[in-house]
Amino acid sequence: MSFDFIRTDIDEQKAKSRYRQLVCTSTASQGNEIIINGKSYLNFSSNDYLGLNNHAQINKALQDGVDKFGTCSSSSSLVTGYHYAHQALEDDICQWLNKPKCLLFSSGFAANLALFHALGKNEQSHFYLDKLSHASMIDGAYQSKAKVKRFNHNNIEQLTKLLSSSEQSADTGNNKLIASEGVFSMDGCQAKVMELAQLAKTNSAWLYLDDAHSIGVIGNKGQGSNSIANIDITMATFGKAIATSGAFLACDENLHEYLVNFSRHYIYSTAISPAMAWATRKSIELIQSEHWRREKIVELSELFSDLLTPEVELVGTQSSIHAIIIGDEKKALRVSEQLKKQGVWLTAIRPPTVAVNSSRLRVTICAHHNTKDIKYLAECINKAIA
Ligand SMILES: Cc1ncc(COP(=O)(O)O)c(C=O)c1O
């Protein structure tokens, strides 16, 4: 049979309790609930951190955008796909993050690939990646021609050593990029942003942060890691706290010009829907002014942590993401199933998304949750794990 690895690999995935399946969901009128197969669950697996999905003003902006520009950009940006909505959104993001330039991509995955491909043009480039960086950063880095080194998660000491050992080797040159996530997707903790920025400066390296899980949530106006230090290059998806779709990369004029001219992911891809860009502007406006959304995440997260029994291994964080480490894949699945029976939707995260023996429940606490939801969640988790 042709491509017979397909069956073998799937069977192996099942045997390892790593089999994945699509489930069709619909969001209830309140954002804290989802409906699956006609049953309603409290949803603690969503990335709608600020509870902005289905917001009346954003929905209205999307409709206005459709009326003004249509549903589709109808071309790649360099042909005729770059509309006023895109330009206005880029300007808003530059102002928000205090960055000279910004470029839009159809997804965060594509933006990460684009950046690493562009900067990893040849062997003279060196990438230093946190080991817990997102799959798209790892793929982008390894598919490029750059030399890639990975440092243990948030281990500044090891990164410092790696940078100084490459300094002594003749081939390093000036093309060094330190890359990390701003808030890590699977355990919610933050990168040591100040230290990374300082290290980049002293080593004449650039700092690249993927702020997919920081944007909107971290900073007094939701600016993410740029509220902590000046980040050379920032990427963030619109598909999480911003509650629309697509992504941006913010950088200096030179890199912007280079990407527009050489990034295959940018040049050969249809520009994001201008109507979606229009809606994204409204979302960013709300993110900057509605501080209560960030405050609510902090308040509910503290309550959650206080209510858990000592047997529950919670990774403490300042973000929306709270990991409960279970370890074994089968146990993680069992706990997740038990919670579903009690009306709580919490996906078990297993290898290869996380390291072997670190399977977990990834709880996301969002601005649309309330005290009652959190109390119920903690009660169910305490029972399931005890
Ligand atoms: C850290 C991180 N980077 C990038 C992405 C990809 O972004 P997008 O969903 O827009 O492709 C994700 C997840 O979706 C992510 O968690």
PDB file of all heavy atoms in Angstrom, residues 47 49 106-112 133-137 181 183-186 210-213 235-240 245-247 362, ligand 1:
ATOM      1  N   ASN A  47      -8.701  30.483  24.242  1.00  0.00           N
ATOM      2  CA  ASN A  47      -7.661  31.528  24.286  1.00  0.00           C
ATOM      3  C   ASN A  47      -8.262  32.925  24.158  1.00  0.00           C
ATOM      4  O   ASN A  47      -7.561  33.890  23.869  1.00  0.00           O
ATOM      5  CB  ASN A  47      -6.646  31.313  23.158  1.00  0.00           C
ATOM      6  CG  ASN A  47      -5.872  30.030  23.352  1.00  0.00           C
ATOM      7  OD1 ASN A  47      -5.645  29.605  24.482  1.00  0.00           O
ATOM      8  ND2 ASN A  47      -5.467  29.407  22.262  1.00  0.00           N
ATOM      9  N   TYR A  49      -8.752  35.285  25.973  1.00  0.00           N
ATOM     10  CA  TYR A  49      -8.368  35.687  27.326  1.00  0.00           C
ATOM     11  C   TYR A  49      -9.147  36.892  27.856  1.00  0.00           C
ATOM     12  O   TYR A  49      -9.480  36.957  29.026  1.00  0.00           O
ATOM     13  CB  TYR A  49      -6.860  35.997  27.384  1.00  0.00           C
ATOM     14  CG  TYR A  49      -5.988  34.856  26.931  1.00  0.00           C
ATOM     15  CD1 TYR A  49      -4.946  35.056  26.032  1.00  0.00           C
ATOM     16  CD2 TYR A  49      -6.206  33.567  27.406  1.00  0.00           C
ATOM     17  CE1 TYR A  49      -4.137  34.008  25.620  1.00  0.00           C
ATOM     18  CE2 TYR A  49      -5.413  32.506  26.983  1.00  0.00           C
ATOM     19  CZ  TYR A  49      -4.377  32.743  26.090  1.00  0.00           C
ATOM     20  OH  TYR A  49      -3.596  31.704  25.680  1.00  0.00           O
ATOM     21  N   SER A 106      -1.181  36.181   7.619  1.00  0.00           N
ATOM     22  CA  SER A 106      -2.454  35.466   7.740  1.00  0.00           C
ATOM     23  C   SER A 106      -2.540  34.660   9.021  1.00  0.00           C
ATOM     24  O   SER A 106      -3.633  34.320   9.474  1.00  0.00           O
ATOM     25  CB  SER A 106      -2.672  34.561   6.533  1.00  0.00           C
ATOM     26  OG  SER A 106      -1.546  33.735   6.400  1.00  0.00           O
ATOM     27  N   SER A 107      -1.396  34.323   9.621  1.00  0.00           N
ATOM     28  CA  SER A 107      -1.428  33.604  10.901  1.00  0.00           C
ATOM     29  C   SER A 107      -0.109  33.815  11.635  1.00  0.00           C
ATOM     30  O   SER A 107       0.908  34.205  11.030  1.00  0.00           O
ATOM     31  CB  SER A 107      -1.640  32.101  10.676  1.00  0.00           C
ATOM     32  OG  SER A 107      -0.462  31.528  10.143  1.00  0.00           O
ATOM     33  N   GLY A 108      -0.145  33.529  12.925  1.00  0.00           N
ATOM     34  CA  GLY A 108       1.078  33.608  13.723  1.00  0.00           C
ATOM     35  C   GLY A 108       2.074  32.556  13.279  1.00  0.00           C
ATOM     36  O   GLY A 108       3.292  32.786  13.290  1.00  0.00           O
ATOM     37  N   PHE A 109       1.566  31.416  12.872  1.00  0.00           N
ATOM     38  CA  PHE A 109       2.452  30.340  12.407  1.00  0.00           C
ATOM     39  C   PHE A 109       3.247  30.832  11.187  1.00  0.00           C
ATOM     40  O   PHE A 109       4.473  30.682  11.122  1.00  0.00           O
ATOM     41  CB  PHE A 109       1.605  29.103  12.036  1.00  0.00           C
ATOM     42  CG  PHE A 109       2.365  27.816  12.133  1.00  0.00           C
ATOM     43  CD1 PHE A 109       2.182  26.954  13.206  1.00  0.00           C
ATOM     44  CD2 PHE A 109       3.279  27.450  11.145  1.00  0.00           C
ATOM     45  CE1 PHE A 109       2.896  25.760  13.295  1.00  0.00           C
ATOM     46  CE2 PHE A 109       3.993  26.265  11.229  1.00  0.00           C
ATOM     47  CZ  PHE A 109       3.796  25.412  12.301  1.00  0.00           C
ATOM     48  N   ALA A 110       2.550  31.463  10.249  1.00  0.00           N
ATOM     49  CA  ALA A 110       3.212  31.968   9.040  1.00  0.00           C
ATOM     50  C   ALA A 110       4.201  33.085   9.384  1.00  0.00           C
ATOM     51  O   ALA A 110       5.302  33.147   8.819  1.00  0.00           O
ATOM     52  CB  ALA A 110       2.168  32.476   8.054  1.00  0.00           C
ATOM     53  N   ALA A 111       3.829  33.957  10.327  1.00  0.00           N
ATOM     54  CA  ALA A 111       4.714  35.074  10.692  1.00  0.00           C
ATOM     55  C   ALA A 111       6.011  34.547  11.303  1.00  0.00           C
ATOM     56  O   ALA A 111       7.103  35.042  11.003  1.00  0.00           O
ATOM     57  CB  ALA A 111       4.001  36.007  11.669  1.00  0.00           C
ATOM     58  N   ASN A 112       5.907  33.530  12.151  1.00  0.00           N
ATOM     59  CA  ASN A 112       7.119  32.953  12.740  1.00  0.00           C
ATOM     60  C   ASN A 112       8.002  32.313  11.675  1.00  0.00           C
ATOM     61  O   ASN A 112       9.216  32.523  11.655  1.00  0.00           O
ATOM     62  CB  ASN A 112       6.744  31.912  13.809  1.00  0.00           C
ATOM     63  CG  ASN A 112       6.592  32.542  15.180  1.00  0.00           C
ATOM     64  OD1 ASN A 112       7.169  33.597  15.455  1.00  0.00           O
ATOM     65  ND2 ASN A 112       5.834  31.907  16.046  1.00  0.00           N
ATOM     66  N   SER A 133       9.983  27.094  23.153  1.00  0.00           N
ATOM     67  CA  SER A 133       9.392  27.943  22.107  1.00  0.00           C
ATOM     68  C   SER A 133       8.377  27.164  21.262  1.00  0.00           C
ATOM     69  O   SER A 133       8.506  25.945  21.081  1.00  0.00           O
ATOM     70  CB  SER A 133      10.484  28.486  21.188  1.00  0.00           C
ATOM     71  OG  SER A 133      11.353  29.297  21.917  1.00  0.00           O
ATOM     72  N   HIS A 134       7.435  27.892  20.713  1.00  0.00           N
ATOM     73  CA  HIS A 134       6.338  27.300  19.928  1.00  0.00           C
ATOM     74  C   HIS A 134       6.862  26.528  18.705  1.00  0.00           C
ATOM     75  O   HIS A 134       7.896  26.875  18.135  1.00  0.00           O
ATOM     76  CB  HIS A 134       5.419  28.433  19.450  1.00  0.00           C
ATOM     77  CG  HIS A 134       4.150  27.967  18.838  1.00  0.00           C
ATOM     78  ND1 HIS A 134       3.924  27.960  17.484  1.00  0.00           N
ATOM     79  CD2 HIS A 134       3.024  27.478  19.412  1.00  0.00           C
ATOM     80  CE1 HIS A 134       2.706  27.511  17.240  1.00  0.00           C
ATOM     81  NE2 HIS A 134       2.137  27.205  18.402  1.00  0.00           N
ATOM     82  N   ALA A 135       6.088  25.520  18.309  1.00  0.00           N
ATOM     83  CA  ALA A 135       6.457  24.663  17.166  1.00  0.00           C
ATOM     84  C   ALA A 135       6.805  25.491  15.918  1.00  0.00           C
ATOM     85  O   ALA A 135       7.739  25.143  15.179  1.00  0.00           O
ATOM     86  CB  ALA A 135       5.292  23.731  16.859  1.00  0.00           C
ATOM     87  N   SER A 136       6.075  26.580  15.686  1.00  0.00           N
ATOM     88  CA  SER A 136       6.324  27.366  14.471  1.00  0.00           C
ATOM     89  C   SER A 136       7.671  28.087  14.532  1.00  0.00           C
ATOM     90  O   SER A 136       8.309  28.335  13.500  1.00  0.00           O
ATOM     91  CB  SER A 136       5.204  28.379  14.245  1.00  0.00           C
ATOM     92  OG  SER A 136       4.976  29.166  15.395  1.00  0.00           O
ATOM     93  N   MET A 137       8.137  28.424  15.743  1.00  0.00           N
ATOM     94  CA  MET A 137       9.453  29.053  15.876  1.00  0.00           C
ATOM     95  C   MET A 137      10.531  27.992  15.627  1.00  0.00           C
ATOM     96  O   MET A 137      11.515  28.230  14.926  1.00  0.00           O
ATOM     97  CB  MET A 137       9.643  29.650  17.278  1.00  0.00           C
ATOM     98  CG  MET A 137       8.615  30.706  17.615  1.00  0.00           C
ATOM     99  SD  MET A 137       8.662  31.203  19.338  1.00  0.00           S
ATOM    100  CE  MET A 137      10.088  32.270  19.371  1.00  0.00           C
ATOM    101  N   GLU A 181       9.207  32.896  23.699  1.00  0.00           N
ATOM    102  CA  GLU A 181       7.822  33.359  23.812  1.00  0.00           C
ATOM    103  C   GLU A 181       7.766  34.372  24.956  1.00  0.00           C
ATOM    104  O   GLU A 181       8.551  34.258  25.915  1.00  0.00           O
ATOM    105  CB  GLU A 181       6.884  32.190  24.117  1.00  0.00           C
ATOM    106  CG  GLU A 181       6.755  31.218  22.968  1.00  0.00           C
ATOM    107  CD  GLU A 181       5.716  30.133  23.208  1.00  0.00           C
ATOM    108  OE1 GLU A 181       4.719  30.383  23.904  1.00  0.00           O
ATOM    109  OE2 GLU A 181       5.910  29.038  22.678  1.00  0.00           O
ATOM    110  N   VAL A 183       4.918  35.037  26.933  1.00  0.00           N
ATOM    111  CA  VAL A 183       4.265  34.159  27.920  1.00  0.00           C
ATOM    112  C   VAL A 183       4.209  32.794  27.248  1.00  0.00           C
ATOM    113  O   VAL A 183       3.790  32.689  26.091  1.00  0.00           O
ATOM    114  CB  VAL A 183       2.836  34.650  28.252  1.00  0.00           C
ATOM    115  CG1 VAL A 183       2.006  33.553  28.898  1.00  0.00           C
ATOM    116  CG2 VAL A 183       2.879  35.867  29.174  1.00  0.00           C
ATOM    117  N   PHE A 184       4.648  31.776  27.948  1.00  0.00           N
ATOM    118  CA  PHE A 184       4.743  30.455  27.324  1.00  0.00           C
ATOM    119  C   PHE A 184       3.374  29.786  27.260  1.00  0.00           C
ATOM    120  O   PHE A 184       2.632  29.756  28.260  1.00  0.00           O
ATOM    121  CB  PHE A 184       5.762  29.599  28.074  1.00  0.00           C
ATOM    122  CG  PHE A 184       7.161  30.068  27.804  1.00  0.00           C
ATOM    123  CD1 PHE A 184       7.710  31.102  28.539  1.00  0.00           C
ATOM    124  CD2 PHE A 184       7.909  29.523  26.772  1.00  0.00           C
ATOM    125  CE1 PHE A 184       8.979  31.578  28.270  1.00  0.00           C
ATOM    126  CE2 PHE A 184       9.177  29.995  26.491  1.00  0.00           C
ATOM    127  CZ  PHE A 184       9.723  31.025  27.245  1.00  0.00           C
ATOM    128  N   SER A 185       3.095  29.235  26.066  1.00  0.00           N
ATOM    129  CA  SER A 185       1.731  28.775  25.789  1.00  0.00           C
ATOM    130  C   SER A 185       1.269  27.633  26.665  1.00  0.00           C
ATOM    131  O   SER A 185       0.085  27.526  26.962  1.00  0.00           O
ATOM    132  CB  SER A 185       1.602  28.366  24.329  1.00  0.00           C
ATOM    133  OG  SER A 185       2.619  27.464  23.979  1.00  0.00           O
ATOM    134  N   MET A 186       2.169  26.763  27.066  1.00  0.00           N
ATOM    135  CA  MET A 186       1.716  25.554  27.749  1.00  0.00           C
ATOM    136  C   MET A 186       1.869  25.602  29.263  1.00  0.00           C
ATOM    137  O   MET A 186       1.376  24.736  29.962  1.00  0.00           O
ATOM    138  CB  MET A 186       2.436  24.316  27.186  1.00  0.00           C
ATOM    139  CG  MET A 186       1.989  24.007  25.794  1.00  0.00           C
ATOM    140  SD  MET A 186       0.198  23.715  25.739  1.00  0.00           S
ATOM    141  CE  MET A 186      -0.232  24.505  24.200  1.00  0.00           C
ATOM    142  N   ASP A 210       7.759  36.118  20.716  1.00  0.00           N
ATOM    143  CA  ASP A 210       6.443  35.725  20.235  1.00  0.00           C
ATOM    144  C   ASP A 210       5.470  36.008  21.381  1.00  0.00           C
ATOM    145  O   ASP A 210       5.468  35.316  22.397  1.00  0.00           O
ATOM    146  CB  ASP A 210       6.483  34.236  19.874  1.00  0.00           C
ATOM    147  CG  ASP A 210       5.119  33.684  19.493  1.00  0.00           C
ATOM    148  OD1 ASP A 210       4.101  34.245  19.931  1.00  0.00           O
ATOM    149  OD2 ASP A 210       5.074  32.661  18.792  1.00  0.00           O
ATOM    150  N   ASP A 211       4.665  37.044  21.211  1.00  0.00           N
ATOM    151  CA  ASP A 211       3.768  37.513  22.272  1.00  0.00           C
ATOM    152  C   ASP A 211       2.335  37.002  22.089  1.00  0.00           C
ATOM    153  O   ASP A 211       1.376  37.652  22.539  1.00  0.00           O
ATOM    154  CB  ASP A 211       3.774  39.052  22.304  1.00  0.00           C
ATOM    155  CG  ASP A 211       4.645  39.585  23.443  1.00  0.00           C
ATOM    156  OD1 ASP A 211       5.242  38.772  24.173  1.00  0.00           O
ATOM    157  OD2 ASP A 211       4.708  40.823  23.605  1.00  0.00           O
ATOM    158  N   ALA A 212       2.201  35.839  21.457  1.00  0.00           N
ATOM    159  CA  ALA A 212       0.858  35.283  21.207  1.00  0.00           C
ATOM    160  C   ALA A 212       0.001  35.280  22.475  1.00  0.00           C
ATOM    161  O   ALA A 212      -1.187  35.587  22.435  1.00  0.00           O
ATOM    162  CB  ALA A 212       0.969  33.863  20.659  1.00  0.00           C
ATOM    163  N   HIS A 213       0.616  34.934  23.618  1.00  0.00           N
ATOM    164  CA  HIS A 213      -0.158  34.804  24.859  1.00  0.00           C
ATOM    165  C   HIS A 213       0.041  35.987  25.815  1.00  0.00           C
ATOM    166  O   HIS A 213      -0.483  35.981  26.922  1.00  0.00           O
ATOM    167  CB  HIS A 213       0.188  33.489  25.557  1.00  0.00           C
ATOM    168  CG  HIS A 213      -0.034  32.313  24.667  1.00  0.00           C
ATOM    169  ND1 HIS A 213      -1.262  31.716  24.517  1.00  0.00           N
ATOM    170  CD2 HIS A 213       0.812  31.668  23.820  1.00  0.00           C
ATOM    171  CE1 HIS A 213      -1.166  30.730  23.636  1.00  0.00           C
ATOM    172  NE2 HIS A 213       0.086  30.681  23.198  1.00  0.00           N
ATOM    173  N   MET A 235       6.178  39.492  17.592  1.00  0.00           N
ATOM    174  CA  MET A 235       5.120  38.866  16.790  1.00  0.00           C
ATOM    175  C   MET A 235       3.958  38.601  17.725  1.00  0.00           C
ATOM    176  O   MET A 235       4.166  38.246  18.877  1.00  0.00           O
ATOM    177  CB  MET A 235       5.628  37.544  16.215  1.00  0.00           C
ATOM    178  CG  MET A 235       4.786  36.933  15.116  1.00  0.00           C
ATOM    179  SD  MET A 235       3.189  36.292  15.573  1.00  0.00           S
ATOM    180  CE  MET A 235       3.609  34.838  16.514  1.00  0.00           C
ATOM    181  N   ALA A 236       2.742  38.787  17.247  1.00  0.00           N
ATOM    182  CA  ALA A 236       1.586  38.308  18.020  1.00  0.00           C
ATOM    183  C   ALA A 236       0.462  37.945  17.066  1.00  0.00           C
ATOM    184  O   ALA A 236       0.288  38.575  16.020  1.00  0.00           O
ATOM    185  CB  ALA A 236       1.114  39.331  19.041  1.00  0.00           C
ATOM    186  N   THR A 237      -0.258  36.926  17.459  1.00  0.00           N
ATOM    187  CA  THR A 237      -1.420  36.515  16.663  1.00  0.00           C
ATOM    188  C   THR A 237      -2.634  37.353  17.082  1.00  0.00           C
ATOM    189  O   THR A 237      -2.715  37.821  18.215  1.00  0.00           O
ATOM    190  CB  THR A 237      -1.704  35.009  16.863  1.00  0.00           C
ATOM    191  OG1 THR A 237      -2.969  34.687  16.289  1.00  0.00           O
ATOM    192  CG2 THR A 237      -1.738  34.603  18.322  1.00  0.00           C
ATOM    193  N   PHE A 238      -3.572  37.527  16.160  1.00  0.00           N
ATOM    194  CA  PHE A 238      -4.833  38.196  16.517  1.00  0.00           C
ATOM    195  C   PHE A 238      -5.845  37.181  17.056  1.00  0.00           C
ATOM    196  O   PHE A 238      -6.936  37.545  17.482  1.00  0.00           O
ATOM    197  CB  PHE A 238      -5.456  38.870  15.282  1.00  0.00           C
ATOM    198  CG  PHE A 238      -4.601  39.962  14.675  1.00  0.00           C
ATOM    199  CD1 PHE A 238      -4.455  40.066  13.290  1.00  0.00           C
ATOM    200  CD2 PHE A 238      -3.953  40.885  15.475  1.00  0.00           C
ATOM    201  CE1 PHE A 238      -3.677  41.066  12.725  1.00  0.00           C
ATOM    202  CE2 PHE A 238      -3.164  41.889  14.915  1.00  0.00           C
ATOM    203  CZ  PHE A 238      -3.026  41.975  13.542  1.00  0.00           C
ATOM    204  N   GLY A 239      -5.495  35.902  16.981  1.00  0.00           N
ATOM    205  CA  GLY A 239      -6.475  34.844  17.239  1.00  0.00           C
ATOM    206  C   GLY A 239      -6.659  34.468  18.703  1.00  0.00           C
ATOM    207  O   GLY A 239      -7.360  33.511  18.994  1.00  0.00           O
ATOM    208  N   LYS A 240      -6.038  35.206  19.612  1.00  0.00           N
ATOM    209  CA  LYS A 240      -6.219  34.840  21.024  1.00  0.00           C
ATOM    210  C   LYS A 240      -6.898  36.026  21.733  1.00  0.00           C
ATOM    211  O   LYS A 240      -8.078  36.236  21.510  1.00  0.00           O
ATOM    212  CB  LYS A 240      -4.877  34.425  21.614  1.00  0.00           C
ATOM    213  CG  LYS A 240      -4.296  33.218  20.830  1.00  0.00           C
ATOM    214  CD  LYS A 240      -3.084  32.619  21.434  1.00  0.00           C
ATOM    215  CE  LYS A 240      -2.340  31.698  20.483  1.00  0.00           C
ATOM    216  NZ  LYS A 240      -3.029  30.461  20.132  1.00  0.00           N
ATOM    217  N   SER A 245      -8.486  37.391  13.761  1.00  0.00           N
ATOM    218  CA  SER A 245      -7.737  36.351  13.066  1.00  0.00           C
ATOM    219  C   SER A 245      -6.627  36.986  12.235  1.00  0.00           C
ATOM    220  O   SER A 245      -6.813  38.061  11.669  1.00  0.00           O
ATOM    221  CB  SER A 245      -8.737  35.602  12.187  1.00  0.00           C
ATOM    222  OG  SER A 245      -8.095  34.821  11.259  1.00  0.00           O
ATOM    223  N   GLY A 246      -5.470  36.319  12.144  1.00  0.00           N
ATOM    224  CA  GLY A 246      -4.305  36.881  11.472  1.00  0.00           C
ATOM    225  C   GLY A 246      -3.212  37.120  12.501  1.00  0.00           C
ATOM    226  O   GLY A 246      -3.302  36.615  13.632  1.00  0.00           O
ATOM    227  N   ALA A 247      -2.188  37.878  12.118  1.00  0.00           N
ATOM    228  CA  ALA A 247      -1.079  38.141  13.045  1.00  0.00           C
ATOM    229  C   ALA A 247      -0.298  39.360  12.582  1.00  0.00           C
ATOM    230  O   ALA A 247      -0.456  39.797  11.443  1.00  0.00           O
ATOM    231  CB  ALA A 247      -0.152  36.932  13.095  1.00  0.00           C
ATOM    232  N   ARG A 362      -4.441  22.355  30.878  1.00  0.00           N
ATOM    233  CA  ARG A 362      -4.103  23.766  30.661  1.00  0.00           C
ATOM    234  C   ARG A 362      -5.380  24.566  30.879  1.00  0.00           C
ATOM    235  O   ARG A 362      -6.279  24.561  30.056  1.00  0.00           O
ATOM    236  CB  ARG A 362      -3.569  23.945  29.236  1.00  0.00           C
ATOM    237  CG  ARG A 362      -3.235  25.374  28.861  1.00  0.00           C
ATOM    238  CD  ARG A 362      -2.767  25.389  27.410  1.00  0.00           C
ATOM    239  NE  ARG A 362      -2.449  26.722  26.931  1.00  0.00           N
ATOM    240  CZ  ARG A 362      -3.335  27.543  26.354  1.00  0.00           C
ATOM    241  NH1 ARG A 362      -4.593  27.171  26.222  1.00  0.00           N
ATOM    242  NH2 ARG A 362      -2.955  28.728  25.931  1.00  0.00           N
TER     243      ARG A 362
HETATM  244  C1  LIG B   1       3.144  30.883  20.996  1.00  0.00           C
HETATM  245  C2  LIG B   1       2.373  30.757  19.718  1.00  0.00           C
HETATM  246  N1  LIG B   1       2.887  31.274  18.600  1.00  0.00           N
HETATM  247  C3  LIG B   1       2.246  31.201  17.432  1.00  0.00           C
HETATM  248  C4  LIG B   1       1.024  30.582  17.345  1.00  0.00           C
HETATM  249  C5  LIG B   1       0.357  30.487  16.012  1.00  0.00           C
HETATM  250  O1  LIG B   1      -0.536  31.552  15.847  1.00  0.00           O
HETATM  251  P1  LIG B   1      -1.771  31.371  14.854  1.00  0.00           P
HETATM  252  O2  LIG B   1      -2.786  30.565  15.563  1.00  0.00           O
HETATM  253  O3  LIG B   1      -2.220  32.741  14.512  1.00  0.00           O
HETATM  254  O4  LIG B   1      -1.220  30.640  13.657  1.00  0.00           O
HETATM  255  C6  LIG B   1       0.440  30.027  18.497  1.00  0.00           C
HETATM  256  C7  LIG B   1      -0.866  29.322  18.525  1.00  0.00           C
HETATM  257  O5  LIG B   1      -1.744  29.329  17.862  1.00  0.00           O
HETATM  258  C8  LIG B   1       1.134  30.118  19.718  1.00  0.00           C
HETATM  259  O6  LIG B   1       0.622  29.589  20.829  1.00  0.00           O
END
